[in-house]
Amino acid sequence: MASESGDYKYDPSEDHAFPDERLNEVLPELVDHPEVEAYLDAQNVNAVTRKGYNDHGSKHIEIVRNRALRLYDLLKAGDVAFNGATEQGLDEAEEPVIIALAATLHDVGHVVHRDDHVYYSIPLAADFLDRFLDRFYEIPERVRIKAEVLHAILCHHTAETPLTREAGVIRVSDALDMERGRSRIPYEEGGRGINTLSSQAIDRVSLQPGNGTPVMVEIEMVNAAGVYQVDNLLKSKLEDSMIEDAVRIVAVNTKSDAGLVERIEL
């Protein structure tokens, strides 16, 4: 099983609770693809430079992808059945491929606009997938994988309801990038909105096997402002994600002020 540290990074050489050969073939090509790198640089312009939101660029994507694969691995180790790939007649080995692709491309719509970016991500991701997947799959598999990736991208937005657990993993993992590093740019430039301040209050997030549930997410806060990240953002994404019964969330205020908000459990 992978490391339990908060800075977990997917390691293809480690043992996983899922077949990883196909993922290990696709992931290096995806991460190093020049078009992907260009999108990840460009998508922060509207989000951060023009709108003053938290990071939605390459670091955010790296964290979401690694946490999505970690979350998926823990769920598989806990015998949680996934349905996206299998209902499309795809192999189990395509589950982590779908997750990695969706995690990488879910925010590309920011290059069009921050507002409603999820809906702009769909055609941009579809265009890229048509060209990227042809080196790994035949047409029938390409179409079905693309369908599942686009569904997961769409459903990282709370207005849409995931119909697969692969999509649920993306939805929850997007919210798990909540530490203070995510708000570094707007905070240093004077941003003091609730997203920025609440993110500054989160010190560490880690995913590990739970006691009674497949996954426990541990969140360390340094002040009560972090409650917004946990109770508003993460809770709303976990709800109706199809994995809510398999994930336990514990948030602890490590520097509690006058005994306020010392511990939250979801």
Side-chain angles (χ1 to χ4, degrees):
M1 183 61 67
S3 166
E4 295 179 0
S5 67
D7 58 353
Y8 167 85
K9 292 186 178 181
Y10 175 76
D11 186 345
S13 67
E14 290 185 348
D15 292 331
H16 300 108
F18 57 86
D20 59 11
E21 294 84 1
R22 187 61 62 87
L23 175 65
N24 293 342
E25 179 186 4
V26 172
L27 189 57
E29 298 288 330
L30 176 68
V31 171
D32 294 332
H33 197 287
E35 187 173 348
V36 170
E37 292 178 343
Y39 268 122
L40 300 192
D41 286 340
Q43 67 196 38
N44 242 1
V45 174
N46 280 329
V48 178
T49 306
R50 294 171 179 163
K51 297 284 284 185
Y53 283 97
N54 289 349
D55 175 42
H56 285 80
S58 58
K59 189 61 179 178
H60 169 61
I61 296 303
E62 179 186 2
I63 291 171
V64 172
R65 183 173 57 238
N66 281 313
R67 289 187 178 164
L69 291 172
R70 172 67 167 158
L71 178 56
Y72 169 69
D73 196 15
L74 290 169
L75 291 168
K76 294 291 283 189
D79 294 323
V80 174
F82 280 70
N83 63 308
T86 56
E87 289 174 355
Q88 289 284 7
L90 297 167
D91 293 336
E92 182 186 6
E94 268 57 73
E95 292 173 358
V97 173
I98 290 166
I99 288 170
L101 286 166
T104 303
L105 300 172
H106 76 276
D107 271 343
V108 295
H110 277 91
V111 301
V112 180
H113 205 292
R114 160 65 189 175
D115 300 344
D116 295 326
H117 70 275
V118 64
Y119 303 109
Y120 303 126
S121 293
I122 297 300
L124 294 174
D127 175 66
F128 173 78
L129 291 168
D130 284 338
R131 291 175 281 108
F132 179 75
L133 291 174
D134 65 0
R135 72 187 74 181
F136 303 105
Y137 298 98
E138 298 299 322
I139 289 176
E141 290 77 21
R142 292 205 306 263
V143 170
R144 293 175 182 274
I145 289 171
K146 181 174 77 169
E148 292 305 309
V149 172
L150 296 181
H151 175 71
I153 289 174
L154 180 70
C155 293
H156 91 269
H157 184 36
T158 52
E160 310 294 343
T161 302
L163 302 178
T164 71
R165 288 187 178 85
E166 288 92 332
V169 164
I170 299 302
R171 181 187 183 95
V172 173
S173 298
D174 183 45
L176 288 175
D177 181 16
M178 61 170 63
E179 291 106 327
R180 63 183 59 185
R182 185 164 189 206
S183 60
R184 175 184 58 82
I185 299 173
Y187 188 83
E188 289 179 352
E189 293 181 354
R192 294 298 184 269
I194 185 60
N195 282 288
T196 299
L197 291 176
S198 60
S199 179
Q200 284 286 308
I202 303 295
D203 195 40
R204 183 176 181 272
V205 177
S206 65
L207 285 75
Q208 53 191 290
N211 182 12
T213 57
V215 183
M216 181 168 69
V217 178
E218 289 189 338
I219 301 167
E220 295 180 11
M221 302 182 295
V222 295
N223 66 62
V227 172
Y228 179 82
Q229 290 282 329
V230 178
D231 199 40
N232 290 64
L233 303 182
L234 179 55
K235 182 179 179 180
S236 66
K237 292 225 172 184
L238 184 61
E239 186 176 343
D240 295 327
S241 64
M242 296 187 68
I243 60 172
E244 60 267 29
D245 292 337
V247 178
R248 178 185 173 212
I249 297 171
V250 177
V252 178
N253 187 356
T254 60
K255 295 182 180 179
S256 178
D257 299 324
L260 295 176
V261 198
E262 293 184 352
R263 182 181 178 94
I264 298 175
E265 289 200 35
L266 300 181

